[in-house]
Amino acid sequence: MHNHDFTGTSPHLILINGKIATVDSNNSIAEAIGIFGNLISHVGTTQELLKTTGPNTKVIDLQGKTVIPGIVDSHNHVYQAGILMEGVMAFGLESIKELQEAVKAKVSETPKGKWIRGGGWIESQFAENRMPNRWDLDEVAPDHPVVLSRLFAMDLCNSKALELAGINKNTPQPQRGTIDKDPKTGEPTGILRNGAQALVSRLIKDDYNSNYNFQELVERRVKTAMNEYLQYGITTVLDPGVSVPVMRGYQNLYKKGELPIRLQMMPEAYGLAAISSNKSDPNETEKFMDYLGINDPFGNEWFSIGPLKFAVDGGVGSKTALMYEPWIDGTKSNIPLRLDFEEMEKLFHKAQELGWSIGIHTCGDKAQDIVLEAFKKVIDRYPRNDVRHNIIHGYFPTDRALEIMKEYNIAGSLQPGFMYVEGDLYWDVLNQEQIEYFTPIKTYLNNKITVACNSDMISAHYNPFYGMYSAVARKTSQGKSLGAREKISREEMLRLFTINSAYLTFEENTKGSIEAGKLADIAVLSHDLLTCPESDILKTDVNMTIIDGKIVHSNIN
Ligand SMILES: [Zn+2]
């Protein structure tokens, strides 16, 4: 915490008559906040704060509204989100018709022949109750190639996109993927799964280079996404798995003072290549770790380097998570792992030796066990307390996994919002016991493991209230229950999206709670998250967002 004495100072801004959920160590509730410069200077009663006013103090009457610390979205692919937002944002669309309308709108502003991208659709939310297909898209986009990603390693393409990729009824199935074909005619339906996605996505060429124009593109997309996040009270994001050209784009924005919100980025390390393509090169990772000469956490409260991002397996919906048991349909995960476990362990050793933290995507129970045994080995060899390794996703921790995470202080970075957005599909893949244990936040907490919660935009919607709702209600968007055992309290929920997420970025002393001396990052809400009916959490609007002491979004007069 910044060590400042604010006695006698007059805040430039005070918020009074609120319900301030401070998320301090006692979960105290206050009435009013004072902000001096970019810091919180006072937290107390309305009366106390009114006594601090000076001639230049602006006073905002919250009229009973609830205030929480600015949300730290500790897993959010910001740059990818920008791409999506500039294309077709299909999250939350409730019919194929709505999807068509969204594509049509994009078509009207895109020159013929140019690619239209987008994603976030899921057929379980469509009123038509069927998979969308290429012909649905052709109706509104006959002349533009269109590719719209679905959650879980699947793309929907129109005929133009298939044509450019040379995919037709005679195209053989790729090794690690599926081109869905109509059972009667043999015509491709436009759905490409896993390894087949690359047949089309590789044609889109504007990614991953270091030239000047690309950096401009990165900057524009990042701003698009971050300006949207402000409306949701998100004041810091941790971008997990950033390529070098994108890092450069971020840095340019930082240097120009144009980052709309605070950012920590995790450099892409090992296993980050698409699951369909070849594994990434461990030698490159080793060089990067060593030659950079610095490691996480490096930077300041606006822009910093975070842990290295590794990835092991795929996900549940696409049946690409590495599990001990077969899926409910009897099939086993037959997946190309994204990394070689022996190489991984070597890299863990190097990282631990140098002081890099590691955040690693592991979804399946077996993957998580293997990764944790590797962590245990390297931590035993080079014990140190300046790293914060974490398991990302960790859907089904075994007893052994919980034991290692507790003993070795390895945190969990979890995404309860998945349950809301895509949970309706889990019954196709998981048995009832697995469904009720999926993302077992309560179990992690009971085992004294540090848990941070986040959105994983673009795998789920960035709206933090979806995740908060899921963490306490454990319900899908269609209202199905994933069991009550792993529900957590509202107070816990708030901590996991704020102060605990700030722990992942090494910033729990400057962010994540409303206490004097901390950065003035604050969200004013339309609903009282601590007491409102569960379903109202989903309807919560952010009425005001303050970052660094400045109001950056407001619809309060
Ligand atoms: Zn992710």
Side-chain angles (χ1 to χ4, degrees):
M1 213 171 299
H2 295 84
N3 215 346
H4 281 96
D5 182 6
F6 294 103
T7 344
T9 52
S10 289
H12 73 264
L13 175 65
I14 64 172
L15 310 176
I16 57 167
N17 295 322
K19 176 176 176 182
I20 319 292
T22 64
V23 192
D24 65 6
S25 53
N26 301 314
N27 291 322
S28 315
I29 303 293
E31 275 179 355
I33 306 172
I35 296 170
F36 180 79
N38 67 338
L39 300 178
I40 295 165
S41 55
H42 303 75
V43 180
T45 63
T46 294
Q47 237 182 5
E48 283 165 354
L49 263 290
L50 284 174
K51 281 186 205 143
T52 67
T53 55
N56 299 315
T57 305
K58 179 180 160 123
V59 181
I60 294 177
D61 187 342
L62 295 169
Q63 301 183 338
K65 283 187 190 300
T66 296
V67 178
I68 62 171
I71 291 164
V72 178
D73 193 350
S74 51
H75 190 115
N76 183 316
H77 302 270
V78 182
Y79 168 65
Q80 310 291 341
I83 296 177
L84 197 58
M85 288 175 189
E86 288 185 356
V88 177
M89 256 293 280
F91 277 106
L93 297 186
E94 291 177 351
S95 64
I96 293 173
K97 203 162 176 353
E98 280 183 20
L99 187 67
Q100 287 175 313
E101 275 157 22
V103 172
K104 195 173 169 186
K106 227 3 101 180
V107 163
S108 69
E109 59 184 53
T110 308
K112 264 189 194 178
K114 278 206 85 179
W115 282 88
I116 291 175
R117 305 155 80 178
W121 63 273
I122 195 154
E123 74 283 3
S124 62
Q125 291 179 8
F126 287 163
E128 290 87 351
N129 206 14
R130 66 167 172 88
M131 251 336 186
N133 58 46
R134 62 194 269 203
W135 301 285
D136 295 321
L137 295 184
D138 290 350
E139 281 177 31
V140 289
D143 304 315
H144 297 72
V146 180
V147 54
L148 304 176
S149 55
R150 170 189 180 265
L151 304 167
F152 304 139
M154 190 189 289
D155 283 338
L156 168 66
C157 305
N158 70 346
S159 296
K160 192 83 197 165
L162 294 177
E163 183 193 314
L164 290 174
I167 297 173
N168 55 47
K169 62 194 292 186
N170 302 318
T171 309
Q173 294 294 347
Q175 219 184 356
R176 289 166 173 171
T178 310
I179 301 165
D180 279 19
K181 292 183 181 176
D182 185 291
K184 282 188 199 131
T185 64
E187 284 293 337
T189 65
I191 297 289
L192 305 177
R193 297 169 196 259
N194 296 310
Q197 293 173 284
L199 298 173
V200 167
S201 61
R202 69 180 175 209
L203 302 175
I204 306 169
K205 285 255 181 325
D206 64 354
D207 278 352
Y208 300 105
N209 63 70
S210 288
N211 70 35
Y212 183 80
N213 290 338
F214 179 69
Q215 288 179 40
E216 255 185 11
L217 199 65
V218 173
E219 291 171 33
R220 192 188 71 210
R221 288 170 173 165
V222 168
K223 278 202 220 172
T224 298
M226 287 187 167
N227 283 320
E228 178 68 15
Y229 297 162
L230 285 177
Q231 323 287 313
Y232 288 79
I234 299 168
T235 53
T236 293
V237 280
L238 176 55
D239 189 335
V242 179
S243 68
V244 166
V246 173
M247 289 170 80
R248 257 185 214 113
Y250 281 145
Q251 197 193 1
N252 288 345
L253 278 178
Y254 167 69
K255 284 195 289 196
K256 290 189 275 189
E258 290 179 13
L259 277 175
I261 63 181
R262 307 179 193 274
L263 170 78
Q264 183 171 96
M265 55 188 189
M266 294 170 67
E268 232 174 50
Y270 183 41
L272 265 291
I275 198 155
S276 52
S277 69
N278 290 333
K279 293 163 191 163
S280 49
D281 182 354
N283 296 319
E284 291 294 313
T285 299
E286 184 162 358
K287 270 191 224 160
F288 178 88
M289 272 190 226
D290 206 354
Y291 290 5
L292 197 57
I294 49 172
N295 47 258
D296 72 298
F298 180 78
N300 62 24
E301 68 263 29
W302 273 102
F303 180 59
S304 56
I305 297 176
L308 295 170
K309 170 79 184 286
F310 284 62
V312 177
D313 57 351
V316 161
S318 52
K319 299 198 279 189
T320 51
L322 181 61
M323 302 285 284
Y324 286 112
E325 297 296 322
W327 303 104
I328 195 163
D329 62 4
T331 58
K332 276 222 110 177
S333 287
N334 174 24
I335 52 158
L337 286 176
R338 294 164 133 177
L339 43 69
D340 177 312
F341 283 122
E342 233 170 86
E343 290 286 0
M344 178 195 81
E345 205 176 298
K346 267 194 252 162
L347 292 172
F348 276 20
H349 273 284
K350 189 79 189 172
Q352 179 77 7
E353 200 182 350
L354 295 171
W356 275 102
S357 308
I358 289 170
I360 180 162
H361 166 124
T362 60
C363 286
D365 48 9
K366 188 172 175 185
Q368 191 171 350
D369 277 356
I370 294 171
V371 164
L372 285 167
E373 295 292 353
F375 271 133
K376 177 182 177 323
K377 246 192 254 179
V378 303
I379 297 170
D380 281 341
R381 180 152 162 209
Y382 303 113
R384 58 192 310 156
N385 52 21
D386 59 350
V387 289
R388 292 186 179 173
H389 302 313
N390 59 89
I391 293 285
I392 298 169
H393 307 315
Y395 292 153
F396 312 103
T398 62
D399 288 346
R400 176 69 178 149
L402 295 166
E403 191 184 303
I404 298 176
M405 288 176 80
K406 181 183 175 183
E407 191 182 337
Y408 289 84
N409 200 17
I410 294 166
S413 168
L414 310 181
Q415 298 71 33
F418 284 160
M419 291 184 267
Y420 178 73
V421 175
E422 59 196 32
D424 289 295
L425 293 166
Y426 294 163
W427 279 265
D428 299 343
V429 191
L430 303 173
N431 63 41
Q432 190 61 26
E433 195 190 330
Q434 289 169 323
I435 284 169
E436 292 185 15
Y437 191 58
F438 180 84
T439 304
I441 302 179
K442 192 71 192 170
T443 295
Y444 277 114
L445 293 177
N446 287 345
N447 281 278
K448 307 266 180 300
I449 292 162
T450 303
V451 173
C453 285
N454 42 59
S455 71
D456 200 2
M457 173 72 179
I458 57 172
S459 296
H461 197 284
Y462 52 89
N463 183 338
F465 304 108
Y466 290 172
M468 291 190 193
Y469 169 76
S470 306
V472 299
R474 288 188 68 87
K475 278 192 190 139
T476 70
S477 62
Q478 306 297 312
K480 285 178 89 170
S481 166
L482 288 92
R485 210 176 48 203
E486 298 296 339
K487 287 185 179 183
I488 58 169
S489 71
R490 305 284 181 105
E491 285 79 9
E492 286 168 330
M493 164 196 93
L494 271 187
R495 300 192 75 81
L496 304 193
F497 282 87
T498 55
I499 188 105
N500 282 26
S501 280
Y503 170 87
L504 277 197
T505 64
F506 289 83
E507 293 173 305
E508 73 278 13
N509 291 323
T510 51
K511 298 179 180 175
S513 65
I514 298 175
E515 297 177 79
K518 281 199 152 180
L519 292 165
D521 294 356
I522 286 162
V524 179
L525 309 180
S526 62
H527 287 71
D528 180 353
L529 291 179
L530 293 172
T531 59
C532 70
E534 259 178 13
S535 57
D536 280 4
I537 299 175
L538 290 168
K539 297 180 201 149
T540 303
D541 282 324
V542 173
N543 297 137
M544 182 186 283
T545 307
I546 296 175
I547 298 187
D548 219 34
K550 295 190 188 77
I551 298 172
V552 290
H553 154 72
S554 175
N555 51 32
I556 294 177
N557 302 319

